[in-house]
Amino acid sequence: MLESILHFLRSLYDPEGLKELIRSGGAPLVCTIVFIETGFFVGFFLPGDSLLVTAGIFSSAGVIPLHWLLAPVMLCAIVGDQIGYWIGRAAGPALYRREDSLFFRRSHLQRAHEFYEKYGGQAVIFARFVPIIRTFCPPVAGAARMPYSRYLIFDIFGGVLWVGAMILGGYFLGRTVPNIGQRIHYVIAVVVVLSLLPAVISILRARRAVARGEAR
């Protein structure tokens, strides 16, 4: 069992392994991974962006029908976030006192909190496109007692936008670039870099702000 789990985790971060997982697991596997990544702390390490783009490329090749991906994955992304929100709503401030564990890091929660403080309600949308932040932002919004009706509107819009952009982006890339499936590792590398870019920019800005403060 342990060996199977480790093999699955390794496959998630190996381009060829990811291709094989999507080919064998299809839309149900993609839905499950997105649901776990968005709904539970345990999912913060899952590769949502690269998974969806790769699934879109496979869809363009006829491996998975597009209509089996779009609506179900959007629904799973939205429902997953609702679970995260209500975990935060129920746990409240106690969430920030929780000890670090294999599947929980207070530093990730704090980063999501700062992201939420900076962007307010729009953070629910923006967080979708930032790895780790998208897992921890819903509990932060819940702990902050963001009105649920307002949260739900932002979350539905963000879930539809994120899933649609990733899957359709991969789909049209697969349709316009010949044999792109054979170069999927390059695509995944670009997706990873672009998804991490906002976090890198935020860190650099924070360091500059600290440096300016010290200079004064």
Side-chain angles (χ1 to χ4, degrees), residues 7 12 17 33 53 55-56 78-79 91 100 110 112 118 121 130 134-135 139 144 155 164 171 177 185 189 205 207 216:
H7 175 72
L12 287 174
I33 292 176
V53 172
I78 293 168
V79 173
D100 285 349
Q110 186 58 38
K118 181 177 181 179
V130 186
R134 67 169 153 260
T135 301
D155 189 55
Y171 182 86
V177 180
H185 50 289
R205 285 179 175 174
R207 288 182 176 177
R216 293 175 183 174

Side-chain angles (χ1 to χ4, degrees), residues 20 22 38 41 53-54 61 66-67 70 72 80 84 94 103 109 112-113 115 118 123 134 139 158 182 190 198 207 210:
E20 187 57 37
I22 294 174
T38 56
F41 296 130
V53 172
T54 304
L66 187 60
H67 65 274
L70 277 178
F103 301 120
L109 185 67
H113 178 83
F115 193 86
K118 181 177 181 179
R134 67 169 153 260
Q182 299 175 11
V190 171
R207 288 182 176 177
V210 170

Side-chain angles (χ1 to χ4, degrees), residues 69-160:
L69 277 175
L70 277 178
V73 177
M74 287 175 180
L75 180 62
C76 286
I78 293 168
V79 173
D81 263 19
Q82 306 314 299
I83 293 175
Y85 174 89
W86 287 108
I87 288 175
R89 185 95 175 208
L95 198 61
Y96 293 89
R97 297 192 297 269
R98 181 174 173 176
E99 294 297 325
D100 285 349
S101 65
L102 180 61
F103 301 120
F104 178 82
R105 290 288 183 273
R106 278 188 293 180
S107 59
H108 296 333
L109 185 67
Q110 186 58 38
R111 282 176 55 195
H113 178 83
E114 293 169 357
F115 193 86
Y116 180 80
E117 288 293 313
K118 181 177 181 179
Y119 294 106
Q122 295 177 347
V124 178
I125 299 174
F126 296 155
R128 288 287 191 178
F129 296 87
V130 186
I132 297 179
I133 297 294
R134 67 169 153 260
T135 301
F136 286 85
C137 188
V140 167
R145 297 280 171 171
M146 181 178 182
Y148 181 66
S149 58
R150 184 165 178 258
Y151 171 81
L152 184 60
I153 292 172
F154 278 115
D155 189 55
I156 291 174
F157 183 78
V160 170

Side-chain angles (χ1 to χ4, degrees), residues 154-175:
F154 278 115
D155 189 55
I156 291 174
F157 183 78
V160 170
L161 183 63
W162 175 56
V163 173
M166 295 296 111
I167 291 181
L168 291 178
Y171 182 86
F172 289 115
L173 187 64
R175 282 299 183 98

